[in-house]
Each structure stands twice: as C-alpha cells, then as structure tokens.
Amino acid sequence: PPQQPTPTQPAPQPTAQPGGGGGGPGGFSTYVVQRGDNLFRIALRYNMTTQALAQLNGIVNPDLIHVGQVLTVPASPEAAAALEPTLGVPTTTTVRTYVVQRGDNAFRIALRHGITLDELVRANNLSNPALIYPGQELIIP
C-alpha cells in the first residue's frame, strides 16, 4: 500500500502532467518539464506568453530549461489572465499555426510568416528542419 505522509515527511505537491492543466478554477499548479519541452510550448499549453511564464518562474534565459524542472503555472485561464497586472507583461497569447503543404520547406515557411528559421525550429522543437512533412502542423511564434 502507498505510504502515508508522516509529520516529518511533507505531502507531495500536486503536479500537472504534460497536456493537463491541474488545479482548480483559480490560483496555481505546477508543471514538471518533460523531454522535448521548451518554454514556448509550455506557455502555449497554459495560454500564456513565454515572457510571462519566464517571469512567473524567475527564468532569466527562456531557452534554458531542463527536464525535471518544476514550473509554476496558472491553474486556469482565469488565473493566467489575472497575472497580467501583477507581472506587468501581457500574459495571454493567440496561437498561430500553419499546416505544411507539399513543396514547403521550413525556411520558406519562416520567411512567409516574418520569422527566422531559428524561431520556427525552437517553437516546434524541430531536431532537423529539413524533415517536415505535408499535413504537419507547425506553431508560428
């Protein structure tokens, strides 16, 4: 049987799993960084900007997070929206996506959307930008 916490053993904190929001209608939850995650995708999952998520967690370099790192995230869209006055930065974001068409390549997609290839690669965690395929949905940061 599972071990019950003792007075000297703190109870485990709730953790939102990938794709889950966790928590109640307001306040905060936590998210454990998984392999393949980047701050941009985590922010999108919680309807936040990368800047707001980085600021909420005291992250100086948004490109530097590691597997197992525990992030504070809003428990609901209402909680995310309530953060904006506190943080002084826009907290919510609209997700733009693009579905790869036959003949597309990552460089041309980036150029068409006014972003750099590096931004497209990071937003989509592409290990090889030459390996995109028709029907694949890409996030346009």
Side-chain angles (χ1 to χ4, degrees), residues 28-93:
F28 299 98
S29 186
T30 57
Y31 176 82
V32 178
V33 175
Q34 305 294 309
R35 185 171 180 241
D37 276 344
N38 63 42
L39 207 60
F40 179 78
R41 283 192 173 263
I42 296 168
L44 286 178
R45 186 175 296 142
Y46 290 94
N47 195 34
M48 297 183 74
T49 62
T50 305
Q51 182 183 9
L53 185 58
Q55 190 171 343
L56 178 63
N57 286 279
I59 296 172
V60 177
N61 181 354
D63 294 327
L64 188 60
I65 61 173
H66 59 274
V67 172
Q69 183 174 353
V70 178
L71 301 177
T72 299
V73 293
S76 69
E78 295 80 20
L83 281 173
E84 193 163 332
T86 319
L87 296 176
V89 296
T91 54
T92 57
T93 185

Side-chain angles (χ1 to χ4, degrees), residues 3-26:
Q3 211 177 16
Q4 295 298 319
T6 63
T8 57
Q9 195 178 26
Q13 296 299 307
T15 301
Q17 293 303 312

